[in-house]
Amino acid sequence: MSDTITKPTSTPPDTVALLTQRRTRGGWRAMLPTMSAKFVTGVVIVVTIVLFGIIGPLVTQNPRYSGNDALQPPSAEHLLGTTKLGYDVFAQLAHGTQGSLLVGIVAGLIAIILSLLFGVLAGYIGGWRDESLSLVTNIALVIPGLPLAMVIATYFSTRSWLLVAFVLGITSWAGAAVVLRTQARSLRSRDYVYAAKVAGERSFRVILVEILPNLLPLLAAQFLFAIIFAILGEAGLSYLGLGATDSITWGTILNDAQSGQALGTGAWWWFIPPGILIALLGCGLSLINFAIDEIINPKLRVAPEAARRVRKAAKMKGVGA
């Protein structure tokens, strides 16, 4: 009696093969997000808002010009109406977009630099220096960021947008540092890192050449999250009267609308546009972040393709039956 082995008629999708197939792009191209619908939508939203912040202030009137009639609804002359003091809302929105974007980008850069210092550096060097840097990170992690930013902002009677960005940046880096430290500790035990050490490469070059390129998708995701947090934080601070005093942002527009009783007077055109732009920018950056997550998490990257293959196999089995 001979033993026979019956092979299954259909095999499940090979995750490793799918990953290998997707990585055949190679090099830096493999680190780019796939051209999915959410990525394209997010890029379109963000680029449109950025272009509005760059071009808008060049073609609008002075946002502090009060010669217009007060509380005028949207019209051909004033696309988004005017405020209680006669300011053109469209002009203020254009300048406010530029101010909020600057705050978000600068705060994001500060947060990501601190995350690299206390995360990647600590995770790579190890030992007592790792413990010391991790102690600072853990202390910063348990301190609530926005209340601390409010306390710091109250000490300055005059606040520039750069000061607000600095305050938001130094209060929002700890969470990203923990994630980066974990990844750096994992990467430092890889064979190519050991090979670089044996070859006599300095630690700085090993981090720069061997560690950071593998962390680029994660760094991009953390940077986008820091921008979202900074813009929302600035809007919250400005709404409470603790934002920038020498520039216009979306938050200062909302604060002026609140103090000018825009809701009570029915001047919806004063507070709804900045709120919509804040929501749209957050949505656009989140969509891009979701697309980057597909690079960071291989399961998210291969799951759609694996699901399609399973559905196709099930459909062909049903047709054959």
Side-chain angles (χ1 to χ4, degrees):
M1 181 175 181
S2 61
D3 296 333
T4 58
I5 299 176
T6 304
K7 294 184 179 180
T9 56
S10 61
T11 58
D14 188 354
T15 302
V16 176
L18 291 176
L19 278 173
T20 305
Q21 182 181 0
R22 294 293 301 273
R23 285 175 180 172
T24 54
R25 295 180 296 174
W28 293 94
R29 189 182 175 189
M31 298 182 185
L32 297 176
T34 55
M35 297 300 292
S36 59
K38 55 178 172 288
F39 177 73
V40 174
T41 304
V43 169
V44 170
I45 293 174
V46 173
V47 169
T48 302
I49 294 177
V50 170
L51 290 177
F52 176 64
I54 296 174
I55 301 175
L58 302 177
V59 298
T60 56
Q61 63 177 240
N62 187 342
R64 298 296 188 187
Y65 176 71
S66 58
N68 305 308
D69 294 333
L71 293 179
Q72 293 297 307
S75 62
E77 185 178 0
H78 303 288
L79 297 179
L80 293 177
T82 60
T83 69
K84 190 175 182 178
L85 297 178
Y87 300 150
D88 185 84
V89 175
F90 186 78
Q92 288 219 323
L93 194 65
H95 286 78
T97 300
Q98 189 177 80
S100 292
L101 290 176
L102 287 174
V103 170
I105 293 173
V106 172
L109 287 174
I110 294 173
I112 206 68
I113 290 173
L114 292 175
S115 300
L116 286 172
L117 177 62
F118 288 91
V120 177
L121 185 60
Y124 175 77
I125 59 179
W128 66 270
R129 290 170 293 185
D130 179 17
E131 297 298 330
S132 300
L133 293 175
S134 298
L135 177 62
V136 177
T137 302
N138 292 332
I139 293 175
L141 191 63
V142 298
I143 298 176
L146 191 57
L148 178 60
M150 294 170 59
V151 171
I152 297 175
T154 55
Y155 280 95
F156 299 91
S157 57
T158 303
R159 296 173 294 274
S160 64
W161 69 266
L162 191 59
L163 175 63
V164 174
F166 177 78
V167 170
L168 292 171
I170 64 174
T171 56
S172 61
W173 59 270
V178 173
V179 177
L180 292 174
R181 176 176 176 268
T182 303
Q183 294 297 320
R185 286 171 64 90
S186 174
L187 291 174
R188 74 179 182 182
S189 60
R190 303 293 174 87
D191 292 339
Y192 57 86
V193 176
Y194 277 127
K197 291 179 181 179
V198 172
E201 298 289 352
R202 295 183 177 181
S203 297
F204 176 77
R205 190 178 186 280
V206 173
I207 294 175
L208 190 63
V209 177
E210 306 293 346
I211 302 294
L212 285 184
N214 292 281
L215 294 177
L216 282 180
L218 184 59
L219 287 173
Q222 296 295 334
F223 179 62
L224 293 178
F225 178 78
I227 292 178
I228 297 173
F229 176 83
I231 291 176
L232 293 177
E234 185 279 327
L237 288 176
S238 297
Y239 186 78
L240 297 175
L242 299 174
T245 57
D246 65 343
S247 60
I248 301 174
T249 64
W250 291 334
T252 59
I253 297 175
L254 291 174
N255 177 257
D256 292 340
Q258 187 270 337
S259 59
Q261 298 181 348
L263 184 62
T265 57
W268 57 267
W269 57 87
W270 193 356
F271 59 87
I272 287 183
I276 291 177
L277 284 184
I278 292 174
L280 283 177
L281 183 62
C283 178
L285 292 176
S286 297
L287 289 174
I288 297 175
N289 209 348
F290 295 154
I292 295 176
D293 282 342
E294 295 180 358
I295 298 177
I296 300 173
N297 190 345
K299 293 181 180 179
L300 296 178
R301 183 166 54 204
V302 301
E305 189 169 352
R308 285 195 297 269
R309 290 195 176 189
V310 171
R311 289 196 299 268
K312 184 177 180 181
K315 184 177 180 181
M316 292 181 65
K317 183 178 180 181
V319 171

